[in-house]
Each structure stands twice: as C-alpha cells, then as structure tokens.
Amino acid sequence: MSALLWAPRAWVDGRWADAVLLRAGADGCWAEVTPGAAAPPQAEVLSAPVLPGLVDAHSHAFQRAMAGLAERREQGEDDFWSWRERMYRVALRITPAQLRAVAAMLYTELLRGGYTQVCEFHYLQHDRDGSAYADPLELSWALADAAADAGIGLTLLPVLYQRAGFNQPELRAEQRRFATDAAAVRALQRGLAASGRPLLNAGVAIHSLRAAEAAAIAALTDGLGEMPIHIHAAEQQAEVDDCVAATGQRPLDWLCMHAAPDARWQLVHATHATAAEIDAVARTGAGIVICPSTEANLGDGFTDVPGWLAAGVPVAIGSDSQVTRAWPEELRWLEYGQRLLRRQRNVCAAPGEGQPSTAARLLQRALVAGGRAAGFARWGLQVGARADLLLVDPADASLLGVPAERLLDALVFASPAPPFARTMVAGRWRPPAAPVAERFAAAMAQLWAED
Ligand SMILES: [Zn+2]
C-alpha cells in the first residue's frame, strides 16, 4: 500500500508551501514531501490545502461519557473537586464494553476534529469492585480496540496512582479502580509495547505529585529508556498549596529539583506557574500540555501562555475531559483566555519573530510539541514522519473567499465546526465505516441508567 498525493498547498516546516507532492510508503510514513512539484499523472490530486494531523496530547476517554452532563450546580458552590466526585461516579461503573464504545465515538470525533494521534492518560485499571481483571490490560485493550475501530493512532500511558493525597497512605474507596505501583505500571507498559498492534505505542504516566510518593516516581522512571512520561502538575491552586505544605515547594519547583525531568517529560496543565518555574522547566527540556477547554470548564485558572512560548518550552494541547474535540477550538480558547485576562488581542503572536499570525504560531508549536509528547522522533509533513494529513474543506462557510495566506487565521478564529473534509492516518483515509455512533448511544443509555 502506498499513496501518491499532490496538494496545491501544504503546511511544511512551519509555513505554507505550494504544489506539494506527497508520497506515503508501504510503512505508512512519508517517503517524499516535495514542494514546487508538478503533479504526476498517477497522483491523486487534492483540491484544497492540506495540514498535518495534530496530536491530542492529553485524553481521558471515559470522560466523553459525561461531556455536557456535569453542567448543573446543585449545591452552594461547584468547582473542580465537586466535578471530580461526579467523574468518579462514571469511572466506578463503566464496563470494558462501554469504555470501548465510548472511546470509539470519542476517537472518531477527534479524527474529525483534526487529531490523528491521541495520548491516553489511562488510570482506570481494575474491575468495578477494585479487584484485578484476569488480564491486567483488559481496559487498555478496550481503548486500543476503540482506537483501531476509529483508525486513530494511540499512545497509551498507564498511570502510577498510589494515594489519595499528600500524607495520605492509601487511595479512597472511590479510587479503587485506579490503584497501581511502579512495578505494575512498568509491566503494563511492557505488555502494551510488546503487543505489536499497528498505530499503538506506550509510555508511562504519574497521576500527580499528590497521588504518588517520591520513591515510587523514582522507581518508575529510573532506567526507563526512551518513552513519554506524563504527569498532571499544578492544575489547581489547592494542589499547589498542599504541595507547599507537604514538601516546602510548589509542584513544578519540586519536579524540576527532585524528579530530573527531561525532554521525555510532559507536565500536563502547568496552570499555576511562576516566572521562575517557567525558567526552571525550560532548562530541563520538558514540555507542557495545556487543555484550554477543559481548564475553562473546570475553572482551573490561566497559565502564562506567552511566558511558556517565549521560554521555548514545547506547548502541546489536549482534549482532557472531552468537552470539545477539535483542535481549532482548543487553540481559539488558548488565545481567548489570554485576551480576556490581559485585555489585549493576538497575545500569542510574535511579530518580532516574524510570526504575526496567532493561529500559525500556536499551530506550529502544538504540532511539534504534540509529536514529542506522543513519543515520535518525527511528526508532520516531513519524510520519515507518519503519513497523516488533514484535507481542508474549502466549502466550509468560515473559509469562503478568505485569502490563502489568512486561511489558518479563519480556520481557528471563525470556524464553528472542524473545517476538514477528510483525514489520513498512516497513508489511509479515515475513518472506516464502523457503527460507532450506534454502539456509543447504547453504551450511554446503559451507563446513565445506573446513575
Ligand atoms: Zn487529566
């Protein structure tokens, strides 16, 4: 199987290139990306510009089952922690079959939304009563099967999750499906890596500093080799306060000083970060993953996006709780949060660096950072990277009559729906025709009948 395509424009090396010949090899990776080429007679001539697929660098697939279903306040105050109680109720009752149905729907939507790879921060490991499944990878396979149903690439990150909080020796009863130690996480990772399934790779994750002891973090990461290491960090102010009380340091400070993060590491959210912490993270080579729509939905707060960008820290994006499932919307929220906070416009543009387009700068940073977050040495429209692309829909209302140079600006800031006509992963157009929506609707009906 190989594909030969010719596009009138394509996003190559961080800018638009004209007349681009793209050849996907039998291995599903780009064997040729040549701008300024004539279309050979045997090429499939695409009628519109193409973009690389993005990585959704932070996802909890099961939370798709509660997207839009936690939007009522039934007590004095609603915040992250009361949302979390509702999330646990879903986590406690979802079955492997329901997880597969929910995740397949999500992954199909993510493909439609311009993502071709998803990093699954996977802490749901055990049966509903907390007992181990006969196969410890039971729920991991549900996710892998869902990804295969949809045709999206999957980076599975089994999660170290030991305790309910700083200075708490155990998990709460509601967290019984999450319990792991370092040895278990490494065994899960090895099992996934050895599966040989196409479009599946594996790394590891640490739920958060509050959920894992320093010794267990060291045991998990010592001698781990080249693979992604993800951790939730500094999402909530209460978590920062608890970390200071328990360790004397803020979470990002503690991580930089004690966990020896490097370019494999992804600090998810990194919302509450001081300028000194941003500098400290930048020196390690670690990346951050911002989840703008989820952070807005949960009331997390604002991170210093221009500060992270200026420090050169890789900034990926994630769909996290799945309240939105398209990257143009995440990039729009990433910028809009900063505009609301600072009462300025185009905060994330960098005219001094020749990057006046907010959308172009954010896209390119999220593209490069996302590939790293998923463990790929190469990502995007370049030789050796997986042959993924998005065919822009030129008939989308938001793009009609827009000058070619402004296409990304309109796609991010004027597009109510994902303006992509087709998506390619590993040299194949996706998604296949599977009854994903029917299975999802049935799983949702079962899942919420138990609430
Ligand atoms: Zn998360």
Side-chain angles (χ1 to χ4, degrees):
M1 191 274 311
S2 68
L4 186 64
L5 308 163
W6 182 90
R9 301 198 97 201
W11 188 258
V12 180
D13 286 337
R15 62 184 64 83
W16 289 112
D18 290 324
V20 180
L21 188 65
L22 297 147
R23 183 164 58 83
D27 61 354
C29 295
W30 295 120
E32 181 180 357
V33 177
T34 308
Q42 69 275 28
E44 179 180 357
V45 174
L46 304 175
S47 57
V50 301
L51 288 166
L54 253 65
V55 172
D56 177 351
H58 190 67
S59 164
H60 307 285
F62 77 90
Q63 292 179 17
R64 174 65 184 86
M66 60 180 291
L69 294 169
E71 307 305 324
R72 296 175 180 211
R73 181 160 61 89
E74 287 155 355
Q75 54 192 340
E77 279 188 20
D78 195 3
D79 61 12
F80 173 88
W81 307 101
S82 45
W83 170 85
R84 194 178 71 156
E85 298 304 318
R86 282 182 264 185
M87 182 269 282
Y88 283 170
R89 294 214 300 267
V90 177
L92 275 175
R93 62 183 191 269
I94 198 165
T95 65
Q98 289 167 346
L99 179 63
R100 176 176 174 172
V102 168
M105 185 72 198
L106 168 69
Y107 296 156
T108 302
E109 293 175 290
L110 293 179
L111 276 171
R112 176 86 186 86
Y115 298 109
T116 57
Q117 181 81 20
V118 55
C119 298
E120 191 63 41
F121 196 106
H122 177 51
Y123 53 77
L124 201 52
Q125 300 290 356
H126 306 302
D127 208 339
R128 303 194 330 171
D129 61 1
S131 62
Y133 285 110
D135 179 353
L137 288 166
E138 175 88 15
L139 290 166
S140 298
W141 299 135
L143 294 170
D145 289 343
D149 289 344
I152 199 169
L154 176 65
T155 303
L156 256 171
L157 306 164
V159 175
L160 174 64
Y161 208 139
Q162 287 186 298
R163 60 183 187 182
F166 292 101
N167 304 319
Q168 296 185 45
E170 294 179 346
L171 293 168
R172 290 165 42 189
E174 295 87 346
Q175 298 168 318
R176 61 184 177 267
R177 299 188 79 176
F178 313 157
T180 52
D181 59 22
V185 173
R186 287 185 74 146
L188 292 168
Q189 192 278 335
R190 280 196 303 272
L192 293 164
S195 76
R197 290 189 180 214
L199 303 183
L200 175 68
N201 66 335
V204 298
I206 300 144
H207 181 273
S208 54
L209 291 183
R210 69 175 183 271
E213 296 162 10
I217 296 173
L220 176 63
T221 56
D222 279 354
L224 195 58
E226 272 307 313
M227 70 178 73
I229 304 170
H230 291 222
I231 180 170
H232 290 132
E235 179 179 11
Q236 284 285 319
Q237 187 59 49
E239 172 198 349
V240 175
D241 298 342
D242 289 352
C243 188
V244 170
T247 71
Q249 287 180 298
R250 297 165 57 85
L252 298 175
D253 269 341
W254 190 94
L255 275 169
C256 289
M257 196 166 291
H258 300 286
D262 55 29
R264 296 171 300 168
W265 285 68
Q266 303 298 321
L267 315 179
V268 179
H269 301 300
T271 308
H272 301 282
T274 64
E277 285 175 309
I278 291 174
D279 287 343
V281 171
R283 286 193 294 274
T284 68
I288 65 165
V289 183
I290 305 180
C291 308
S293 65
T294 292
E295 290 157 11
N297 186 276
L298 299 181
D300 288 345
F302 296 104
T303 198
D304 180 6
V305 181
W308 288 110
L309 294 173
V313 173
V315 176
I317 54 165
S319 66
D320 195 357
S321 71
Q322 327 299 354
V323 286
T324 74
R325 300 172 291 282
W327 64 252
E329 191 169 355
E330 297 294 352
L331 294 189
R332 189 183 325 132
W333 272 103
L334 187 59
E335 167 70 17
Y336 278 178
Q338 301 296 313
R339 292 189 190 190
L340 289 162
L341 180 68
R342 296 160 195 267
R343 288 177 280 180
Q344 294 176 355
R345 300 191 70 250
N346 288 304
V347 176
C348 294
E353 299 168 26
Q355 293 182 307
S357 165
T358 297
R361 187 170 186 231
L362 290 177
L363 167 67
Q364 185 59 21
R365 295 293 287 267
L367 176 72
V368 174
R372 286 167 37 124
F376 291 98
R378 291 168 184 270
W379 189 258
L381 300 178
Q382 57 171 305
V383 171
R386 199 171 69 206
D388 296 4
L389 65 78
L390 313 171
L391 178 61
V392 172
D393 181 0
D396 187 88
S398 65
L399 306 179
L400 292 175
V402 170
E405 280 302 320
R406 303 295 186 95
L407 182 103
L408 271 182
D409 303 350
L411 190 145
V412 170
F413 290 103
S415 172
F420 308 119
R422 297 165 83 192
T423 304
M424 175 176 281
V425 180
R428 291 173 190 265
W429 293 109
R430 310 278 183 175
V436 166
E438 291 80 356
R439 286 186 211 148
F440 174 70
M444 286 291 279
Q446 291 168 2
L447 194 52
W448 285 96
E450 272 191 59
D451 188 40

